Amino acid sequence: ELTKLNLSWCSSINDAAIEYISDLTGLRSLNISSCRGVTNQSYSTLSELKQLRELDVSHCVNFTDKLRLKNLPSRDWTVLV
């Protein structure tokens, strides 16, 4: 079971890829920093990944809802923006 995934600087990661990642139910840590294909469209999917404890969305220049993710109520996780 995959628990940690680092896709930083991967140019092919986009909103559609984030949808597939949401199927990884054991994922606890996700790094998608500097993935320019990730946009605000991924906000919903990322916010629903209840199993995540660490999420790195730093330098995702087309994803501007980062602070909303960081400040989600009732979430015990670390979000790097």
Side-chain angles (χ1 to χ4, degrees):
E1 182 170 278
L2 186 64
T3 59
K4 188 172 187 174
L5 184 59
N6 185 342
L7 298 169
S8 59
W9 290 97
C10 187
S11 61
S12 61
I13 296 300
N14 57 22
D15 297 319
I18 299 300
E19 286 290 328
Y20 284 107
I21 290 169
S22 70
D23 291 335
L24 301 172
T25 58
L27 197 62
R28 311 268 299 158
S29 176
L30 176 61
N31 183 342
I32 53 172
S33 63
S34 301
C35 292
R36 296 179 182 269
V38 177
T39 71
N40 289 340
Q41 185 177 347
S42 290
Y43 173 81
S44 263
T45 304
L46 290 170
S47 65
E48 292 172 6
L49 295 173
K50 304 293 185 204
Q51 71 279 10
L52 275 185
R53 295 297 170 249
E54 297 176 354
L55 175 63
D56 189 343
V57 289
S58 59
H59 307 290
C60 292
V61 295
N62 295 313
F63 183 59
T64 58
D65 281 344
K66 299 173 208 175
L67 289 178
R68 283 181 57 203
L69 274 177
K70 188 172 186 168
N71 297 319
L72 277 175
S74 70
R75 284 304 301 266
D76 182 23
W77 66 345
T78 302
V79 179
L80 301 174
V81 294

